[in-house]
Structures are given as structure tokens and as C-alpha cells.
């Protein structure tokens, strides 16, 4: 399948929903013009068919002229063939326009998701992103789909009006003036429909986010018996979304009814006027038949116009959500003028906390507040906002280096890391560098593979939910080890495994990362026994460094944290 080219929209292109819709249309103008061309041809062929039928009646049937009847019958056949071919092509272009708009939006959101990285979940809820991929893209595609029929309907409407003017000025003016008045009559419904659709869209996104949270934490909910609480919460939110949908449906039903009622009334008026004109002798029998044909045909452009207005409103609401995601900027961006890259094996330091990580060593961060050590770990890899120049590699601020280089040289694996769906081997060896067996051994995850029928070819379920918490943690650790970065930062890598497994991982991790820099946040004595250096973090700053045995003997605060002494005030002990 051909991959769609997806140019990056500028700031002006996603400033408002109208700008985004125009951006979509501008980048598929060839297929839109193709659809409009065949839409015009299709609508025009339908519009002139009653006129040709009327000529066949007047010149062939009424005049009893066989040659004229055959001629106009042939013209009708030719127009019918044109209508059939143009209808097929119009539909093909309509489907192409739908797919192009919808999946270009998917590609655009996916590219933005990759660009934002860890910024996305902090700024946009999961439900919002899911709703874009499930409902919003359908509304955007539907607008581009309807555009061809809408343009064809507008052209055919004016063509019918012109034909009516040639036959009867009164009827022509009724059509040309009456149809716009009908559209104005529908107009007051469009604004409340847009407001209610936007409200429903917001509630649907929130509901999808709640569902994602429940599914993601189902194991925990069952453990604490909280299923009923979250079931009640989901039921309340779903009822709110349902009620909002009912409010949308009420306005929508009125709009749909008017799409039938107003054109129907208008057609009755046109037919009535045409019949009166025929009775008075102002038009012929063939022209009267043509009038009936025009009246029936006018139903199509009128309904298409109201359908286009309806779909434009829904697409406008969807485009606003897309713009909200596209407007998010990543916390970390590439510098305008990058500094020269520091040499491999440089010192990693954080001026704010006072942490200095010597190259080639294994250092542990110990804190009584796990959030403090996790936040420092994120800072070391530019994974969290706010981003500043205080973290340096070889004296060069990380913010002065290309983002891709920082990601390649410093890898942060935290406790929230999840496994991706797909083949397990591909999910472990993301970069295809090999070394999966060694990484699985270090992570003590061989037993996980032994329990899988297809081994590394096993297809992983969404977020690795088919594995237990300890299994997922070991597989995530193996993935981090396989990347083999210059600096590896591990946040509580053994918090979900038993003591025996943790001891194996601790002893193997040191040898696996020999000669490379490794930072581990932990309070586990099994891991602390294996590291070269320990940094004690209190209040976000490093207050002591040394080996695990030395700090146990000399530092009361460190001893209280490692031994889980809840009676000791860490702040007073550290001072």
C-alpha cells in the first residue's frame, strides 16, 4: 500500500479548526478536484435529463416524429451512460478523499505522538488521543467525502434554475430564491448542534480515558476489591455521555426531518406552479413532464446541502480536538545551534542536586522519597519538565545537544515503562542490535521465555498485560539492557520481583554493565551491595556519597532509609 506523504503543518495550519480543515483540503486538492469534477458531471447529467425527456415528448411523441424520438432517446441513453460512469468515478474519488483525510490525520497524530514522547501523557489524556483515532477521523473523512457531491449539487442547482428560467421566469425565480431561503431556515439549528456535539465529544474522550485507566489497573482493582467503585464511576460517566448523545440526537433528528420536509414542501410548490402554468397553456406537455423531473431532482441538491452543513459541524468539532494535540509542544526541543558532542565516557553531572556520576561506574541513588529520586533520574535523561541547563555530560548541557543524541547516549527506564504489542523479540531488541539472550539472562527472565510456547516469537498483548508485574518488569529491564547505551538510568528495576530473583539480577547487572555508566534508584540492600558508589538524596540534594557499608556505619539518615526505620526523622538525621 502506498504511504501517504504527510507534510508537517505549520503553526498557522493548526491554529484553528478552519485552518486545519483548509490544510487537509490543500494537501489533497488533486483528488478533491477530481471528485468535484465528476460530481459536477454526475449532477449536471441528472439535471438535464428531465429537459431531454421533455424534448423527446414534445418533438417525438406529441409530433409523432419517429426520427426525433429515436434521436432524443439516443441522447438520453448517452446522458445515462455519462451519469453512470461519472457516478462511479465520483464515488471512487469520494472514498479516496475519505481515506486520505482520515488516515493522513492518523499519520499526523502519530507523528506528533512520537515527537512529543513523554510530554504527551502529561498534557493530553489517553482518551482524547483514542477518540481522535476512533471517531474524529471519521468525521474529517466524511467532510471530504461529501465535498464532491456538494459542489456537484450546487452546480446542478444553478443549472436547473437556468433551465427553469428559460421555460418560466416565475418558476426559475422560485427555485433560485427559495432554495437559499430554505438553507437559511435550517441555519438556526447548526449552532446548537455544534455546541452539543462538542460537549458530547468531550464526554466521550473522558469516558475513553476512564475505560483505559480501568483496564490498565484491573489487576490492582481486583487485588483491593475496588471493581464495584470504578464500575459505578464508569456507569455514571457513560450515562453522562449517553445523555449528551441524546441531546445531540434531538437536534440532529430535527435537522434530518427538515432535510425531508422542507425540500418536500418546496417540490410540492414547484409542481403546483408548474401544473398551473401547463393548464394555462404557457408550457407544453413535455415541459410539464420536465418540471416534474426537475422537482424530483431538486430533492437531491437540497438534502446534500444540509448534509454537508451537518458534516462540516461535526468535522469542525473533530478538527478542534486535533488542533489541541497538534498545538502541544514537547518539553525538550533541539537547540538552534548544537554544541560539539562530548567524548564517550564523559562525566554526567546535575548541578541542582549536586550529583556527579563518574564514567564507567555503577551508582545508586537512595532517597526516603522515591519521587525525588525518580524525578532526578528523569532529569538526567531530559525526560521531564521543566528542562534546564543544569544537567551536563562532559561539561556540555544536555539541552545544547541534539535530542536524538541524548536519547541514544542516555537511556532512562522507569517503573511505568510498558511492553509494546507485537512480537516479543522485536519488542525486547528494539534497535536490532542483538544481545537478547545476555540481556534476558541478566534480567533473570529465562523462566518467562520457558513458559511461552513460541518463545521470542510470542505475540505480546496490549501493554504486556498477559504477563505478571514481576515478569513485565524483568522484560522491560532486558529491553533497556539490550539497547546498551553509554549511560543507563534504571528506576527501581527490581521493585516487583522476589528476593531471590532480585539477588540474581543484582549480581548479574554489575558484570553486564562493566565499563559503562549505570545509575540505579533503589533502597534494596541486595542492589546496594553491588554498586560502586551510593549517593544519598534528601530534599532533592545529594547530602552524602560513599559505599554502601561505609554509609551504613557513618550516616544515620542512610541507615534509617535502608533499614526502613520509620521512627527516625530523615531530615534531622541528615543534618
Amino acid at each position: 500500500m502506498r504511504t501517504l506523504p504527510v507534510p508537517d503543518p505549520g503553526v498557522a495550519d493548526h491554529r484553528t479548526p478552519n485552518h486545519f480543515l483548509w490544510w487537509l483540503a490543500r494537501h489533497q486538492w488533486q483528488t478533491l478536484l477530481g471528485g468535484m469534477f465528476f460530481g459536477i458531471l454526475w449532477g449536471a447529467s441528472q439535471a438535464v435529463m428531465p429537459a431531454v425527456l421533455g424534448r423527446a415528448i414534445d418533438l417525438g411523441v406529441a409530433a409523432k416524429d419517429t426520427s426525433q424520438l429515436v434521436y432524443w432517446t439516443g441522447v438520453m441513453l448517452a446522458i445515462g451512460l455519462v451519469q453512470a460512469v461519472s457516478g462511479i468515478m465520483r464515488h471512487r474519488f469520494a472514498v479516496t478523499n475519505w481515506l486520505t483525510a482520515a488516515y493522513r490525520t492518523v499519520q499526523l497524530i502519530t507523528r506528533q505522538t512520537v515527537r512529543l514522547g513523554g510530554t504527551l501523557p502529561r498534557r493530553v489524556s489517553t482518551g482524547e488521543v483514542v477518540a481522535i483515532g476512533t471517531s474524529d477521523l471519521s468525521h474529517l473523512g466524511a467532510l471530504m467525502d461529501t465535498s464532491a457531491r456538494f459542489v456537484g449539487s450546487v452546480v446542478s442547482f444553478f443549472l436547473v434554475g437556468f433551465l427553469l428560467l428559460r421555460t418560466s421566469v416565475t418558476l426559475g425565480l422560485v427555485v433560485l430564491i427559495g432554495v437559499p431561503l430554505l438553507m437559511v431556515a435550517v441555519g438556526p439549528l447548526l449552532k446548537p448542534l455544534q455546541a452539543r456535539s462538542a460537549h458530547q465529544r468531550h464526554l466521550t474522550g473522558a469516558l475513553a480515558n476512564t475505560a483505559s485507566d480501568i483496564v490498565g489497573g484491573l489487576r490492582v482493582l481486583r487485588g483491593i476489591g475496588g471493581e464495584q467503585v470504578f464500575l459505578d464511576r464508569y456507569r455514571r460517566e457513560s450515562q453522562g455521555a449517553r445523555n449528551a448523545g441524546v441531546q445531540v440526537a434531538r437536534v440532529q433528528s430535527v435537522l434530518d426531518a427538515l432535510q425531508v420536509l422542507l425540500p418536500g414542501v418546496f417540490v410540492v410548490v414547484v409542481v403546483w406552479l408548474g401544473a398551473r402554468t401547463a393548464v394555462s397553456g404557457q408550457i407544453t406537455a413535455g415541459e410539464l413532464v420536465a418540471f416534474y423531473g426537475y422537482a424530483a431532482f431538486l430533492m437531491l441538491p437540497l438534502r446534500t446541502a444540509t448534509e454537508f452543513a451537518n458534516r462540516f459541524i461535526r468535522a469542525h468539532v473533530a478538527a478542534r480536538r486535533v488542533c489541541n494535540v497538534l498545538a502541544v509542544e514537547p518539553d525538550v526541543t533541539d537547540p538552534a545551534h548544537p554544541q560539539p558532542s562530548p567524548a564517550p565516557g564523559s562525566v554526567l553531572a546535575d548541578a541542582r542536586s549536586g550529583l556527579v556520576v563518574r564514567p564507567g561506574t555503577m551508582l545508586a541513588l537512595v532517597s526516603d522519597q522515591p519521587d525525588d529520586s525518580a524525578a532526578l533520574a528523569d532529569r538526567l535523561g531530559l525526560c521531564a519538565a521543566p528542562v534546564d541547563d543544569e544537567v551536563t555530560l562532559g561539561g556540555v548541557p544536555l539541552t545544547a545537544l541534539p535530542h536524538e543524541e541524548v536519547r541514544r547516549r542516555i537511556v532512562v527506564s522507569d517503573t511505568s515503562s510498558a511492553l509494546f504489542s507485537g512480537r516479543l523479540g522485536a519488542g525486547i531488541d528494539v534497535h536490532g542490535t542483538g544481545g537478547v539472550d545476555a540481556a534476558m539472562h541478566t534480567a533473570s527472565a529465562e523462566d518467562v521465555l520457558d513458559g511461552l510456547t513460541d518463545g521470542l516469537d510470542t505475540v505480546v498483548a496490549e501493554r504486556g498485560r498477559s504477563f505478571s508485574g514481576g515478569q513485565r518488569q524483568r522484560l522491560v529491564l532486558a529491553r533497556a539492557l539490550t539497547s546498551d547505551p553509554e549511560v543507563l538510568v534504571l528506576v527501581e528495576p527490581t521493585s516487583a520481583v522476589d528476593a531471590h530473583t532480585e539477588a540474581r539480577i543484582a549480581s548479574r547487572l554489575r558484570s553486564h554493565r562493566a565499563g559503562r555508566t549505570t545509575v540505579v534508584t533503589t533502597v534494596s540492600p541486595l542492589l546496594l551491595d553491588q554498586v560502586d558508589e551510593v549517593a544519598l538524596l534528601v530534599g532533592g540534594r545529594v547530602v552524602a556519597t560513599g559505599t554502601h557499608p561505609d554509609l551504613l556505619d557513618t550516616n544515620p539518615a542512610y541507615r534509617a532509609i535502608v533499614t526502613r526505620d520509620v521512627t527516625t526523622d530523615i531530615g534531622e538525621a541528615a543534618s
Side-chain angles (χ1 to χ4, degrees):
M1 182 179 292
R2 181 176 64 90
T3 301
L4 291 173
V6 186
D8 288 317
V11 174
D13 292 322
H14 61 69
R15 187 172 59 244
T16 66
N18 289 334
H19 285 95
F20 178 73
L21 293 175
W22 172 246
W23 179 87
L24 275 181
R26 193 172 72 245
H27 286 91
Q28 60 184 85
W29 65 269
Q30 296 98 331
T31 55
L32 281 175
L33 285 182
M36 291 176 183
F37 171 76
F38 286 106
I40 292 172
L41 194 60
W42 176 70
S45 61
Q46 287 183 300
V48 300
M49 186 66 79
V52 176
L53 178 60
R55 300 291 289 177
I57 293 174
D58 285 340
L59 301 179
V61 178
K64 299 181 180 180
D65 189 335
T66 304
S67 61
Q68 286 291 319
L69 181 61
V70 171
Y71 171 77
W72 288 107
T73 302
V75 173
M76 291 176 61
L77 176 62
I79 294 176
L81 292 174
V82 171
Q83 178 182 341
V85 173
S86 61
I88 293 172
M89 295 303 298
R90 178 201 60 78
H91 181 70
R92 288 178 62 90
F93 273 100
V95 173
T96 301
N97 287 325
W98 192 103
L99 294 174
T100 301
Y103 290 106
R104 179 167 277 142
T105 302
V106 170
Q107 290 174 300
L108 198 63
I109 293 298
T110 302
R111 178 181 295 179
Q112 175 72 343
T113 300
V114 174
R115 174 173 172 261
L116 293 176
T119 304
L120 181 65
R122 291 192 291 268
R123 303 284 188 86
V124 183
S125 67
T126 302
E128 284 295 301
V129 180
V130 170
I132 289 175
T134 54
S135 62
D136 290 342
L137 64 86
S138 177
H139 296 316
L140 294 171
L143 176 63
M144 300 302 166
D145 165 18
T146 316
S147 61
R149 286 188 288 117
F150 174 68
V151 174
S153 297
V154 171
V155 173
S156 59
F157 158 71
F158 283 107
L159 180 58
V160 168
F162 171 74
L163 293 175
L164 285 174
L165 281 174
R166 291 187 59 186
T167 306
S168 170
V169 176
T170 302
L171 288 175
L173 291 176
V174 167
V175 171
L176 293 176
I177 297 175
V179 171
L181 290 178
L182 290 180
M183 296 305 300
V184 171
V186 175
L189 291 175
L190 301 181
K191 188 172 182 180
L193 178 61
Q194 182 175 6
R196 295 185 183 189
S197 296
H199 180 59
Q200 183 205 18
R201 171 60 179 78
H202 172 72
L203 294 180
T204 303
L207 183 63
N209 194 53
T210 300
S212 177
D213 290 342
I214 292 175
V215 173
L218 189 58
R219 189 186 303 271
V220 177
L221 291 177
R222 286 177 175 171
I224 63 176
E227 302 102 313
Q228 189 60 44
V229 175
F230 278 83
L231 175 61
D232 293 340
R233 174 186 172 189
Y234 183 83
R235 181 179 289 116
R236 288 193 302 272
E237 292 188 11
S238 66
Q239 289 302 308
R242 183 187 67 84
N243 292 332
V246 170
Q247 296 301 318
V248 173
R250 286 176 177 171
V251 180
Q252 183 68 55
S253 63
V254 174
L255 182 61
D256 291 342
L258 290 178
Q259 288 181 11
V260 178
L261 175 64
L262 294 181
V265 172
F266 183 71
V267 167
V268 170
V269 172
V270 172
V271 171
W272 180 73
L273 290 175
R276 287 177 57 87
T277 307
V279 169
S280 64
Q282 299 179 32
I283 59 176
T284 65
E287 290 172 333
L288 177 61
V289 172
F291 263 99
Y292 280 103
Y294 294 143
F297 170 76
L298 283 174
M299 294 282 289
L300 179 63
L302 289 175
R303 295 194 66 175
T304 302
T306 52
E307 179 187 2
F308 179 82
N310 185 13
R311 291 193 172 185
F312 178 81
I313 288 174
R314 293 179 178 272
H316 197 273
V317 174
R320 180 180 294 114
R321 299 296 179 179
V322 175
C323 289
N324 290 340
V325 176
L326 295 180
V328 178
E329 289 296 327
D331 296 328
V332 181
T333 56
D334 283 335
H337 304 286
Q339 293 189 22
S341 301
S346 298
V347 174
L348 179 66
D350 174 44
R352 183 188 301 181
S353 64
L355 177 68
V356 177
V357 185
R358 293 180 289 109
T361 62
M362 186 172 178
L363 180 142
L365 277 174
V366 175
S367 174
D368 66 319
Q369 299 295 329
D371 289 345
D372 289 347
S373 56
L376 178 54
D378 286 340
R379 282 169 47 77
L380 295 177
L382 289 184
C383 299
V387 176
D388 51 46
D389 297 334
E390 295 181 297
V391 180
T392 59
L393 181 64
V396 179
L398 295 185
T399 54
L401 297 174
H403 197 197
E404 186 277 333
E405 180 181 356
V406 176
R407 289 286 177 264
R408 175 175 50 83
R409 299 181 66 172
I410 304 175
V411 171
V412 179
S413 178
D414 59 27
T415 54
S416 63
S417 298
L419 294 173
F420 297 105
S421 303
R423 181 176 169 271
L424 177 60
I428 298 297
D429 188 9
V430 178
H431 301 288
T433 55
V436 175
D437 292 339
M440 295 292 283
H441 175 72
T442 300
S444 190
E446 298 100 323
D447 63 309
V448 179
L449 286 182
D450 293 340
L452 301 175
T453 304
D454 298 323
L456 291 174
D457 292 325
T458 300
V459 177
V460 179
E462 183 185 4
R463 299 179 65 87
R465 292 195 179 103
S466 57
F467 299 108
S468 67
Q471 289 175 329
R472 281 201 306 271
Q473 189 173 60
R474 284 180 285 163
L475 291 173
V476 167
L477 174 59
R479 181 178 63 192
L481 294 172
T482 303
S483 64
D484 196 28
E486 179 182 335
V487 179
L488 178 61
V489 183
L490 302 172
V491 179
E492 301 290 346
T494 59
S495 59
V497 301
D498 59 82
H500 295 289
T501 304
E502 185 177 30
R504 288 194 298 270
I505 294 174
S507 62
R508 296 170 182 176
L509 183 61
R510 180 181 179 86
S511 59
H512 187 99
R513 292 289 299 171
R516 284 154 296 180
T517 307
T518 306
V519 179
V520 183
T521 71
T522 183
V523 292
S524 168
L526 293 172
L527 275 173
L528 295 173
D529 271 335
Q530 298 294 328
V531 302
D532 300 307
E533 187 178 9
V534 178
L536 175 60
L537 197 68
V538 177
R541 291 196 57 82
V542 175
V543 297
T545 58
T547 64
H548 174 56
D550 289 343
L551 289 176
L552 274 179
D553 293 338
T554 61
N555 195 298
Y558 180 81
R559 184 166 54 250
I561 293 173
V562 174
T563 61
R564 274 74 165 182
D565 183 1
V566 297
T567 62
T568 301
D569 189 306
I570 303 300
E572 292 183 2
S575 60

